[in-house]
Amino acid sequence: MAWRSSGATNAELVENLWRNKLITQPLVKSAFLKVDRAHYAPSMAYEDSPQPIGHHATISAPHMHAHAVETLLPFLLPNPDNGHQSTADSAASVIGQAGRPRRVLDIGSGSGYLTHVLAELAGETGVVVGLEHIPALRDLGERNVGKSAEGRALLASGRVRFRVGDGRKGWEEPSPGDAQPGVGGAAAPDVAREHERKDEAGGWDAIHVGAAAAVLHEDLVRQLRCPGRMFIPVAAESSSEQYIWTVDKDEHGGVKKKKLFGVRYVPLTDAPK
Ligand code: SAH
């Protein structure tokens, strides 16, 4: 695919991904047009192939970013307020709980490119967290997002956040509306109600994993909201092959796993010493 979708500019690359049906949803196309890959890939930014970003990591190929976003899209778009009207006219469907702001986790955020694209789709109330186990790559993602005025606004508002942690365990991040402990001088909260509220506010509508997992980590499945979807490359048990899996959790907590297609990602590992 590399030779078919590459372009000389960001717009040409996105147009080629569209022509080759790797991007099929207009909202995905406009999000890709808003984010210039040159801010994220140190070389050959508009080639449809992975590029090294240091620390043995790569920015994934544009067609893989496209597959990931298209797959997660119904769980990224802002939920309609009343459950009847979609705020995203051209989206086939939006899956989530009415009115609830989106929360998206991008594990192995690397260059930060996909974290930025995901935030464009999650809308003004959404929060996207990029998680890296290498602090220098956490910083790289944040620096890259900060190269555009739009990106700086996303960082300043907290709609995009970069964190350091082991992605195999997932991540717990407070919601934007959550009070900071010790701030505001409020009376001691009713502990049970506080806990209930956090449960309601926590978890992830969508989890993207940008490195190949050895197993389908249960902690990640647990952190999916009901409903929610994960896009994750997983290494096969008995060969060197890797496959993209989706894990869907329905509104009752039922889990369905589906194997999609073969891929080649860097592994999800222990952090280097
Ligand atoms: N989505 C990124 C992909 C970067 S490559 C992009 O397109 O730019 C995969 C990334 O996963 C690397 O940056 C690597 O540091 C990170 N990674 C590997 N194991 C990890 C772990 N256990 N926890 C968090 N990040 C991890």
Side-chain angles (χ1 to χ4, degrees), residues 12-239:
E12 206 174 287
L13 166 67
V14 176
E15 202 51 55
N16 289 338
L17 290 166
W18 177 262
R19 193 165 40 79
N20 291 326
K21 299 197 167 37
L22 294 156
I23 296 177
T24 66
Q25 304 269 357
L27 287 169
V28 174
K29 187 180 183 186
S30 45
F32 273 61
L33 285 171
K34 280 186 200 150
V35 183
D36 190 345
R37 277 182 80 88
H39 293 167
Y40 297 88
S43 61
M44 299 196 283
Y46 308 126
E47 290 289 305
D48 192 7
S49 58
Q51 302 295 337
I53 56 170
H55 303 271
H56 305 290
T58 58
I59 173 170
S60 299
H63 68 268
M64 278 314 306
H65 284 148
H67 277 310
V69 175
E70 290 253 325
T71 304
L72 293 172
L73 188 66
F75 297 85
L76 301 174
L77 297 172
N79 279 311
D81 284 342
N82 54 17
H84 296 296
Q85 253 184 350
S86 171
T87 49
D89 291 344
S90 52
S93 59
V94 176
I95 304 172
Q97 278 184 19
R100 188 152 82 160
R102 290 304 196 183
R103 286 168 52 91
V104 180
L105 181 62
D106 182 21
I107 296 174
S109 47
S111 66
Y113 172 81
L114 195 68
T115 320
H116 187 168
V117 172
L118 294 168
E120 290 292 344
L121 288 159
E124 289 185 3
T125 57
V127 169
V128 183
V129 174
L131 185 62
E132 256 301 328
H133 67 163
I134 299 178
L137 288 175
R138 187 222 79 94
D139 295 349
L140 176 75
E142 190 173 81
R143 225 171 28 249
N144 288 343
V145 172
K147 287 178 183 170
S148 65
E150 297 81 2
R152 285 191 291 278
L154 287 171
L155 292 169
S157 65
R159 285 170 56 193
V160 166
R161 307 161 186 194
F162 288 94
R163 305 291 190 229
V164 174
D166 183 349
R168 294 169 295 191
K169 300 191 171 78
W171 186 253
E172 284 180 27
E173 178 78 13
S175 275
D178 281 354
Q180 296 293 307
V183 175
D190 171 334
V191 176
R193 269 198 25 230
E194 179 73 3
H195 188 74
E196 220 174 77
R197 194 175 63 80
K198 282 249 163 63
D199 261 10
E200 158 72 15
W204 306 101
D205 293 276
I207 299 179
H208 170 264
V209 186
V215 294
L216 250 175
H217 297 287
E218 276 312 313
D219 276 344
L220 302 185
V221 179
R222 190 176 44 77
Q223 288 180 21
L224 273 180
R225 279 178 158 179
C226 309
R229 177 174 291 171
M230 172 157 66
F231 178 100
I232 180 170
V234 183
E237 266 173 43
S238 53
S239 70

